[in-house]
Amino acid sequence: MNTIAQDTSGQSIAFKRSASHFTDRITAGGEDGWPVEAGRYRLVVSRACPWANRALISRRLLGLEEAISLAVTDPIQDERSWRFTLDAGGRDPVLGIRFLSEAYEARETGYTGGVSVPAIVDIPAGKLVTNDFQRMTLDFATEWMSLHREGAPDLYPENLRGEIDKVMDAVYQDVNNGVYRAGFAKTQQTYDEVYRRLFARLDQLSERLSTRRYLVGDTITEADIRLFTTLVRFDAVYHGHFKCNRNKLSEDPVLWAYARDLFQTPGFGDTVDFDHIKRHYYQVHADINPTRIVPLGPDLSGWLTPHHREQLGGRPFGDGTAPGPVPAAEQVPAHGRAERA
Amino acid sequence: MNTIAQDTSGQSIAFKRSASHFTDRITAGGEDGWPVEAGRYRLVVSRACPWANRALISRRLLGLEEAISLAVTDPIQDERSWRFTLDAGGRDPVLGIRFLSEAYEARETGYTGGVSVPAIVDIPAGKLVTNDFQRMTLDFATEWMSLHREGAPDLYPENLRGEIDKVMDAVYQDVNNGVYRAGFAKTQQTYDEVYRRLFARLDQLSERLSTRRYLVGDTITEADIRLFTTLVRFDAVYHGHFKCNRNKLSEDPVLWAYARDLFQTPGFGDTVDFDHIKRHYYQVHADINPTRIVPLGPDLSGWLTPHHREQLGGRPFGDGTAPGPVPAAEQVPAHGRAERA
């Protein structure tokens, strides 16, 4: 999701999480005109973005890498927003465009709204289908089943959806979005309130996870994916840059072990690029970090240390299996990984 | 020490640690015209400032509270720099001035340089005597001996001065001043270099202090005071605000125990006002923190936990004794203390 409005200098000028503008769904039955189909759609992400990170993880766990191809943007937006400057010639090799905004424009001529990731683009028409980050991964789990890999886990089990939705809503309000609201607060009072809610919620989650390996049921679900994408960014950016500094994630033994457990599970840590994360937040939010200097810390090597969460039981993939290795073309460069230190 | 230049909006515009301008010494023999004399001089500090904190600690340890009276400025400077807005009517009750700059002006008509703390003012003339923060505490230790309390420690023992000076110089370059150079770096390259030197030095100090209770000899010396004043601010401001974030102080078991040991020693922690520290850094350096929002973290309660450093031996005050309680008028308000959480 694009979390900031930008003026023409590329500086963020305000914080506003607008509702996703394009909410068409890609479904098994194709009710919105977008049927599930292998090779037809392209997922556009920034590895910096926690909302896009959800889609990266979900796609990996479900084995949708071949069915839905992947475009990774430069972590630094310019005045035209997300760019394909990491690709040869500065163009996405499949869509042939330089800016994600071109796919938005193809969808809606004269579109002037936010350009956000994750986005799914219809390759034949070059048009944006959806940027609805809240719905996208649920549809990966429930509508794309015919193209899931063998052994794909059930990330949104029908009998647990009520509880999963409830947990995810609280996590969204206080944690996923809470860190942004703290970081972009314009007044001390707003910041104070958001900070207190954030840490109260984290304390509650820590308590919950002290006796159970995963948030809901005994397997990895969408709820874990959504909490993970904020936790993995916590010490690297939210702690300092967004002033969420009561303590580091690594100072909460339960949440830190939970996050490491997921990080070390295939499909989670292998989607994370700390270099993209740090450069994005510290260089794009010039209203918070005018020097645009990117901190060298924190030491990331702890992500790879033993977590001992197996002792809590749980079956990470339920009746399924772990995903295979990351496709060669999608591997995170060495300098973005936790083991670089 | 005043660490920033300020423009008329009160925003810091550049980082420059200028040599102290007024370097007269107050000595036992009065060679510079300023003889040691009880009740004649007033020490002006900000509790936010690490350089002034040295003088506060030294004065406490040596029992100079009655001999040298104390003025505490508002932690937030305005365009006229340090202000006595914490005092009734906004005036220092002894000097009768509203701004420390008035004592500078009394010393040198038309003075336009930096106005820094710690500063010592001659009360009868209302004139600045010295703002030489490097010399001031050494003179407290060695020139003011006739007015030391009974049981005052020797903070600058003659037979160890060579080693103390060497340690203090390294600590000054890489740690005391290093954190400022990191925080005010204008380029990524400068920041990277300073950060690496800072943590290399902290690692070396951690190693040194793993087997000895204090930096030099087996008693508290000026070297410990100078390292302490940076360490006590590390997690509260330098870690996030100045991007010194490889790890928190509290993540280095040796330095964290060393700092807690000193914090819990009479004369150290009782001079520290975390409220002043946080508000000063986050609200004055608007070029680093444009929103001027002051983080609620970190949790400070750890400062009061057992440190177990007694096991290393050492005699904190040598042949002397600990100082008595803080004079009632000089106590840090409850909301500035570590135990407030």
Side-chain angles (χ1 to χ4, degrees):
Chain A
M1 189 164 182
N2 188 18
T3 55
I4 46 167
Q6 292 194 327
D7 67 16
T8 51
S9 70
Q11 297 199 356
S12 54
I13 51 173
F15 174 63
K16 186 181 169 197
R17 187 165 313 288
S18 44
S20 291
H21 192 84
F22 300 98
T23 57
D24 282 2
R25 293 176 60 189
I26 300 168
T27 56
E31 292 83 352
D32 287 353
W34 308 106
V36 162
E37 193 182 321
R40 175 165 173 180
Y41 304 101
R42 192 155 175 84
L43 173 66
V44 181
V45 302
S46 161
R47 288 199 190 271
C49 172
W51 320 102
N53 200 166
R54 294 181 182 178
L56 279 170
I57 294 168
S58 173
R59 174 174 168 272
R60 279 275 294 140
L61 296 180
L62 300 171
L64 289 169
E65 293 103 320
E66 290 206 12
I68 308 172
S69 71
L70 180 68
V72 176
T73 66
D74 194 299
I76 314 293
Q77 301 123 290
D78 74 2
E79 68 279 9
R80 293 189 59 181
S81 192
W82 300 106
R83 307 175 290 170
F84 295 108
T85 34
L86 302 181
D87 295 296
R91 287 185 188 276
D92 178 70
V94 171
L95 298 173
I97 57 180
R98 295 173 60 216
F99 300 96
L100 176 57
S101 59
E102 297 172 58
Y104 278 67
E105 174 71 19
R107 170 65 185 270
E108 184 178 304
T109 307
Y111 177 73
T112 56
V115 174
S116 69
V117 289
I120 296 183
V121 179
D122 178 46
I123 297 172
K127 273 187 196 178
L128 177 75
V129 176
T130 175
N131 63 349
D132 185 348
F133 72 101
Q134 295 277 42
R135 185 75 239 169
M136 191 181 293
T137 45
L138 299 180
D139 284 345
F140 282 178
T142 58
E143 298 290 337
W144 287 75
M145 295 180 77
S146 63
L147 295 170
H148 285 182
R149 68 178 170 91
E150 205 181 309
D154 185 355
L155 297 175
Y156 197 45
E158 207 148 2
N159 62 323
L160 296 174
R161 286 183 192 175
E163 192 181 351
I164 291 174
D165 288 351
K166 202 175 141 199
V167 169
M168 292 197 304
D169 183 58
V171 167
Y172 176 78
Q173 298 297 340
D174 297 337
V175 182
N176 299 150
N177 204 27
V179 294
Y180 280 90
R181 291 176 62 215
F184 288 115
K186 297 293 179 207
T187 68
Q188 187 75 43
Q189 192 190 344
T190 301
Y191 162 80
D192 288 357
E193 287 168 11
V194 173
Y195 170 104
R196 292 200 172 96
R197 285 185 59 152
L198 165 66
F199 282 100
R201 181 67 63 193
L202 289 175
D203 286 345
Q204 193 188 73
L205 292 165
S206 183
E207 174 71 23
R208 180 183 183 105
L209 289 163
S210 65
T211 53
R212 48 192 305 156
R213 190 158 174 198
Y214 303 111
L215 281 171
V216 182
D218 70 342
T219 65
I220 293 168
T221 67
E222 178 76 16
D224 297 299
I225 296 174
R226 294 186 180 191
L227 180 54
F228 173 79
T229 57
T230 294
L231 295 185
V232 80
R233 286 161 177 76
F234 205 87
D235 292 352
V237 287
Y238 302 144
H239 180 82
H241 185 61
F242 279 175
K243 298 188 173 69
C244 299
N245 73 339
R246 192 193 71 183
N247 52 268
K248 291 171 74 168
L249 173 67
S250 62
E251 293 177 278
D252 181 316
V254 172
L255 288 179
W256 176 222
Y258 166 79
R260 268 144 61 220
D261 184 5
L262 293 175
F263 188 88
Q264 295 169 27
T265 299
F268 284 86
D270 56 35
T271 68
V272 174
D273 188 325
F274 287 107
D275 171 57
H276 281 206
I277 289 170
K278 286 170 51 175
R279 285 198 287 127
H280 169 74
Y281 283 91
Y282 281 99
Q283 297 204 327
V284 172
H285 305 155
D287 50 350
I288 301 180
N289 184 41
T291 65
R292 300 191 187 196
I293 286 172
V294 182
L296 286 176
D299 177 11
L300 299 169
S301 57
W303 281 103
L304 304 170
T305 58
H307 54 77
H308 307 299
R309 295 275 296 178
E310 310 85 352
Q311 294 166 5
L312 293 171
R315 302 174 306 136
F317 299 99
D319 298 329
T321 57
V326 179
E330 296 187 5
Q331 287 188 4
V332 172
H335 62 280
R337 296 186 204 162
E339 61 266 38
R340 79 193 154 90
Chain B
M1 191 165 180
N2 188 20
T3 56
I4 47 167
Q6 294 193 327
D7 66 16
T8 50
S9 71
Q11 297 198 356
S12 54
I13 50 173
F15 174 64
K16 188 180 168 198
R17 187 165 313 287
S18 45
S20 292
H21 193 85
F22 299 97
T23 56
D24 282 3
R25 292 176 60 189
I26 299 168
T27 55
E31 292 83 353
D32 288 352
W34 309 107
V36 163
E37 192 181 323
R40 174 167 176 180
Y41 304 101
R42 191 152 174 88
L43 173 65
V44 181
V45 303
S46 161
R47 287 199 191 271
C49 171
W51 320 102
N53 200 165
R54 293 180 181 178
L56 279 170
I57 294 168
S58 173
R59 174 173 168 274
R60 279 273 296 137
L61 296 180
L62 299 171
L64 289 170
E65 293 104 319
E66 290 204 13
I68 308 172
S69 70
L70 180 68
V72 176
T73 66
D74 193 299
I76 314 293
Q77 303 122 291
D78 74 2
E79 68 279 9
R80 292 189 60 180
S81 194
W82 300 105
R83 306 175 290 170
F84 294 108
T85 36
L86 302 181
D87 295 297
R91 287 186 188 275
D92 178 71
V94 171
L95 299 173
I97 57 179
R98 296 174 60 217
F99 300 96
L100 176 57
S101 58
E102 297 171 57
Y104 278 68
E105 174 71 20
R107 170 65 185 269
E108 184 178 304
T109 307
Y111 177 72
T112 57
V115 174
S116 68
V117 288
I120 296 182
V121 179
D122 178 47
I123 298 172
K127 272 187 197 179
L128 177 75
V129 176
T130 175
N131 62 350
D132 185 348
F133 72 101
Q134 296 278 42
R135 187 74 241 169
M136 191 181 294
T137 46
L138 299 180
D139 284 345
F140 282 178
T142 58
E143 298 289 337
W144 286 75
M145 295 180 76
S146 62
L147 294 170
H148 285 182
R149 67 178 171 91
E150 204 181 309
D154 185 354
L155 297 174
Y156 197 45
E158 207 149 3
N159 61 324
L160 296 173
R161 287 184 190 173
E163 193 180 352
I164 291 174
D165 288 350
K166 202 174 142 199
V167 169
M168 291 197 305
D169 184 58
V171 167
Y172 175 78
Q173 298 297 339
D174 296 338
V175 181
N176 299 151
N177 203 27
V179 294
Y180 280 90
R181 292 176 62 215
F184 289 114
K186 297 292 180 209
T187 69
Q188 187 75 44
Q189 192 190 343
T190 300
Y191 163 80
D192 288 358
E193 287 169 11
V194 173
Y195 170 105
R196 292 201 172 95
R197 284 185 60 152
L198 165 65
F199 282 100
R201 181 66 63 193
L202 288 175
D203 286 346
Q204 193 188 74
L205 291 165
S206 183
E207 174 70 24
R208 181 182 183 106
L209 289 163
S210 65
T211 53
R212 48 192 305 157
R213 190 159 174 198
Y214 302 112
L215 279 170
V216 180
D218 69 342
T219 64
I220 292 167
T221 68
E222 178 76 18
D224 298 298
I225 296 174
R226 295 186 179 190
L227 180 54
F228 173 80
T229 58
T230 294
L231 296 185
V232 79
R233 286 159 177 76
F234 204 87
D235 292 352
V237 287
Y238 303 144
H239 180 82
H241 185 62
F242 279 175
K243 298 188 174 69
C244 298
N245 73 340
R246 191 191 73 183
N247 53 268
K248 291 171 73 169
L249 172 67
S250 61
E251 294 177 278
D252 182 314
V254 172
L255 289 180
W256 176 223
Y258 166 79
R260 269 144 61 221
D261 183 5
L262 293 176
F263 187 88
Q264 295 168 28
T265 299
F268 283 86
D270 56 35
T271 68
V272 174
D273 188 326
F274 287 108
D275 170 58
H276 281 206
I277 289 170
K278 287 170 51 175
R279 286 197 286 127
H280 169 74
Y281 283 91
Y282 281 99
Q283 297 203 327
V284 172
H285 305 154
D287 51 348
I288 301 180
N289 184 42
T291 65
R292 301 191 185 195
I293 286 171
V294 183
L296 286 175
D299 176 12
L300 299 169
S301 57
W303 281 103
L304 303 171
T305 59
H307 54 77
H308 306 298
R309 297 273 298 177
E310 311 84 353
Q311 293 166 6
L312 292 171
R315 303 175 305 136
F317 299 99
D319 298 329
T321 56
V326 179
E330 296 187 6
Q331 286 188 4
V332 172
H335 62 280
R337 296 186 204 161
E339 61 267 39
R340 80 193 153 91

Coordinates of all heavy atoms in Angstrom, one line a residue, chain B residues 247-282:
Chain B
N247 N 23.1 -1.3 18.4 CA 22.4 -1.9 19.5 C 22.1 -0.9 20.6 O 22.8 0.2 20.6 CB 23.2 -3.1 20.1 CG 24.6 -2.7 20.4 OD1 25.5 -2.9 19.6 ND2 24.8 -2.2 21.6
K248 N 21.2 -1.2 21.4 CA 21.0 -0.3 22.6 C 22.1 -0.5 23.6 O 22.7 -1.6 23.6 CB 19.6 -0.6 23.2 CG 18.4 -0.1 22.3 CD 17.1 -0.6 22.9 CE 16.7 0.1 24.1 NZ 15.2 -0.2 24.5
L249 N 22.3 0.4 24.4 CA 23.2 0.2 25.6 C 22.8 -1.0 26.3 O 23.6 -1.9 26.7 CB 23.2 1.4 26.5 CG 24.0 1.2 27.8 CD1 25.5 1.1 27.5 CD2 23.7 2.4 28.7
S250 N 21.5 -1.1 26.5 CA 20.9 -2.2 27.3 C 21.1 -3.6 26.7 O 20.9 -4.6 27.3 CB 19.4 -2.0 27.6 OG 18.7 -2.0 26.4
E251 N 21.6 -3.6 25.4 CA 21.9 -4.9 24.8 C 23.4 -5.3 24.9 O 23.8 -6.4 24.5 CB 21.5 -4.8 23.3 CG 20.0 -4.7 23.1 CD 19.6 -4.6 21.6 OE1 19.7 -3.4 21.1 OE2 19.3 -5.6 21.0
D252 N 24.2 -4.4 25.5 CA 25.6 -4.8 25.8 C 25.7 -5.1 27.3 O 25.7 -4.1 28.1 CB 26.5 -3.6 25.4 CG 28.0 -3.9 25.7 OD1 28.3 -4.5 26.7 OD2 28.8 -3.6 24.8
P253 N 25.7 -6.3 27.7 CA 25.6 -6.7 29.1 C 26.7 -6.0 30.0 O 26.4 -5.6 31.1 CB 25.9 -8.2 29.1 CG 25.5 -8.7 27.7 CD 25.9 -7.5 26.8
V254 N 27.9 -5.8 29.5 CA 29.0 -5.2 30.3 C 28.7 -3.7 30.4 O 28.7 -3.2 31.6 CB 30.4 -5.5 29.6 CG1 31.4 -4.7 30.4 CG2 30.7 -7.0 29.7
L255 N 28.6 -3.0 29.3 CA 28.4 -1.6 29.4 C 27.1 -1.2 30.2 O 27.1 -0.2 30.9 CB 28.4 -0.9 28.0 CG 29.8 -0.9 27.3 CD1 29.7 -0.2 26.0 CD2 30.9 -0.2 28.2
W256 N 26.1 -2.0 30.0 CA 24.8 -1.8 30.6 C 24.9 -1.9 32.1 O 24.5 -1.1 32.9 CB 23.8 -2.7 30.0 CG 22.4 -2.7 30.5 CD1 21.6 -3.8 30.7 CD2 21.5 -1.5 30.9 NE1 20.4 -3.4 31.2 CE2 20.3 -2.0 31.3 CE3 21.7 -0.1 30.9 CZ2 19.2 -1.2 31.7 CZ3 20.7 0.7 31.3 CH2 19.5 0.1 31.7
A257 N 25.7 -3.0 32.6 CA 25.9 -3.1 34.0 C 26.8 -2.0 34.6 O 26.5 -1.5 35.7 CB 26.5 -4.5 34.3
Y258 N 27.8 -1.7 33.8 CA 28.7 -0.6 34.2 C 27.9 0.7 34.4 O 28.1 1.4 35.4 CB 29.8 -0.5 33.2 CG 30.6 0.8 33.3 CD1 31.6 1.0 34.2 CD2 30.4 1.9 32.4 CE1 32.4 2.1 34.2 CE2 31.1 3.0 32.4 CZ 32.2 3.2 33.4 OH 32.9 4.3 33.4
A259 N 27.1 1.0 33.4 CA 26.3 2.3 33.5 C 25.3 2.2 34.6 O 25.1 3.3 35.3 CB 25.6 2.5 32.1
R260 N 24.7 1.1 34.9 CA 23.7 1.0 36.0 C 24.4 1.1 37.3 O 23.9 1.7 38.2 CB 23.0 -0.4 35.9 CG 21.7 -0.3 35.1 CD 21.5 -1.6 34.4 NE 21.3 -2.8 35.1 CZ 21.9 -4.0 34.8 NH1 22.6 -4.1 33.7 NH2 21.7 -5.0 35.6
D261 N 25.6 0.5 37.4 CA 26.4 0.6 38.6 C 26.6 2.1 39.0 O 26.3 2.5 40.1 CB 27.7 -0.1 38.4 CG 28.6 -0.2 39.7 OD1 28.2 0.3 40.7 OD2 29.7 -0.7 39.5
L262 N 27.1 2.8 38.0 CA 27.3 4.3 38.2 C 26.0 5.0 38.5 O 25.9 5.8 39.4 CB 28.1 4.9 37.1 CG 29.5 4.4 36.8 CD1 30.1 5.0 35.6 CD2 30.4 4.7 38.1
F263 N 25.0 4.7 37.7 CA 23.7 5.4 37.9 C 23.2 5.2 39.3 O 22.6 6.2 39.9 CB 22.7 4.8 36.9 CG 21.4 5.5 36.9 CD1 21.2 6.6 36.0 CD2 20.3 5.1 37.7 CE1 20.0 7.3 36.0 CE2 19.1 5.8 37.7 CZ 18.9 6.9 36.8
Q264 N 23.4 4.0 39.9 CA 22.9 3.8 41.2 C 23.9 4.3 42.3 O 23.6 4.1 43.5 CB 22.6 2.3 41.4 CG 21.5 1.8 40.4 CD 21.4 0.3 40.3 OE1 21.7 -0.4 41.3 NE2 20.9 -0.2 39.2
T265 N 25.0 4.8 41.9 CA 25.9 5.4 42.9 C 25.5 6.8 43.2 O 25.3 7.6 42.3 CB 27.4 5.3 42.3 OG1 27.7 4.0 42.0 CG2 28.4 6.0 43.2
P266 N 25.4 7.2 44.5 CA 25.0 8.6 44.8 C 25.9 9.6 44.0 O 27.2 9.4 44.0 CB 25.3 8.6 46.3 CG 25.1 7.2 46.8 CD 25.7 6.3 45.7
G267 N 25.3 10.6 43.4 CA 26.1 11.5 42.7 C 26.0 11.4 41.2 O 26.3 12.3 40.4
F268 N 25.6 10.2 40.7 CA 25.4 10.0 39.3 C 23.9 10.1 38.9 O 23.5 11.1 38.4 CB 26.0 8.7 38.9 CG 27.5 8.7 38.8 CD1 28.3 8.4 40.0 CD2 28.2 8.9 37.6 CE1 29.7 8.4 39.9 CE2 29.6 8.9 37.5 CZ 30.3 8.7 38.7
G269 N 23.2 9.0 39.1 CA 21.8 8.9 38.7 C 20.9 10.1 39.3 O 20.0 10.5 38.6
D270 N 21.3 10.5 40.5 CA 20.5 11.6 41.1 C 20.7 13.0 40.4 O 20.0 13.9 40.8 CB 20.7 11.6 42.6 CG 22.2 11.8 43.0 OD1 22.9 12.5 42.3 OD2 22.6 11.3 44.0
T271 N 21.6 13.0 39.4 CA 21.7 14.3 38.7 C 21.0 14.2 37.3 O 21.0 15.2 36.6 CB 23.2 14.6 38.3 OG1 23.7 13.6 37.4 CG2 24.1 14.6 39.6
V272 N 20.5 13.1 37.0 CA 19.9 12.8 35.6 C 18.4 13.1 35.5 O 17.7 12.6 36.3 CB 20.2 11.4 35.2 CG1 19.6 11.1 33.8 CG2 21.7 11.1 35.1
D273 N 18.1 13.9 34.6 CA 16.6 14.2 34.3 C 16.3 13.8 32.9 O 16.6 14.5 31.9 CB 16.4 15.7 34.5 CG 14.9 16.0 34.5 OD1 14.1 15.3 33.7 OD2 14.5 16.9 35.2
F274 N 15.7 12.6 32.8 CA 15.4 12.0 31.5 C 14.4 12.9 30.7 O 14.4 12.9 29.5 CB 14.9 10.6 31.6 CG 16.0 9.6 31.9 CD1 16.1 9.0 33.2 CD2 16.9 9.2 30.9 CE1 17.1 8.1 33.5 CE2 18.0 8.3 31.2 CZ 18.0 7.7 32.5
D275 N 13.5 13.5 31.5 CA 12.5 14.4 30.9 C 13.2 15.6 30.2 O 13.0 15.9 29.0 CB 11.5 14.9 31.9 CG 10.6 16.0 31.4 OD1 9.9 15.8 30.4 OD2 10.7 17.1 32.0
H276 N 14.2 16.2 30.8 CA 14.9 17.3 30.2 C 15.7 16.8 29.0 O 15.8 17.4 28.0 CB 15.9 17.9 31.3 CG 15.2 18.9 32.2 ND1 15.8 19.9 32.8 CD2 13.9 18.9 32.6 CE1 15.0 20.6 33.6 NE2 13.8 20.0 33.5
I277 N 16.4 15.6 29.2 CA 17.2 15.1 28.1 C 16.3 14.8 26.9 O 16.7 15.3 25.8 CB 17.8 13.7 28.6 CG1 18.9 14.0 29.6 CG2 18.4 13.0 27.4 CD1 19.4 12.8 30.4
K278 N 15.2 14.2 27.0 CA 14.4 13.8 25.8 C 13.8 15.1 25.2 O 13.9 15.2 24.0 CB 13.4 12.8 26.2 CG 14.0 11.4 26.4 CD 13.0 10.4 27.0 CE 11.7 10.4 26.3 NZ 10.8 9.3 26.8
R279 N 13.3 15.9 26.0 CA 12.7 17.1 25.4 C 13.7 18.0 24.7 O 13.5 18.5 23.6 CB 11.9 17.9 26.4 CG 10.6 17.2 26.8 CD 9.7 18.2 27.5 NE 10.1 18.5 28.9 CZ 10.2 19.7 29.4 NH1 10.0 20.8 28.6 NH2 10.6 19.9 30.6
H280 N 14.9 18.1 25.3 CA 15.9 18.9 24.6 C 16.3 18.4 23.3 O 16.1 19.1 22.3 CB 17.2 19.0 25.5 CG 18.3 19.6 24.8 ND1 18.4 21.0 24.5 CD2 19.4 19.0 24.2 CE1 19.5 21.2 23.8 NE2 20.1 20.0 23.6
Y281 N 16.7 17.2 23.2 CA 17.2 16.6 21.9 C 16.1 16.6 20.9 O 16.3 17.1 19.7 CB 17.7 15.2 22.1 CG 19.1 15.2 22.7 CD1 19.3 15.1 24.1 CD2 20.3 15.3 21.9 CE1 20.6 15.1 24.7 CE2 21.5 15.3 22.5 CZ 21.7 15.2 23.9 OH 22.9 15.2 24.4
Y282 N 14.9 16.1 21.2 CA 13.9 15.9 20.2 C 13.2 17.2 19.9 O 12.6 17.3 18.8 CB 12.8 14.9 20.7 CG 13.3 13.5 20.5 CD1 13.9 12.7 21.5 CD2 13.3 12.9 19.2 CE1 14.4 11.4 21.3 CE2 13.7 11.6 19.0 CZ 14.3 10.9 20.1 OH 14.7 9.6 19.9

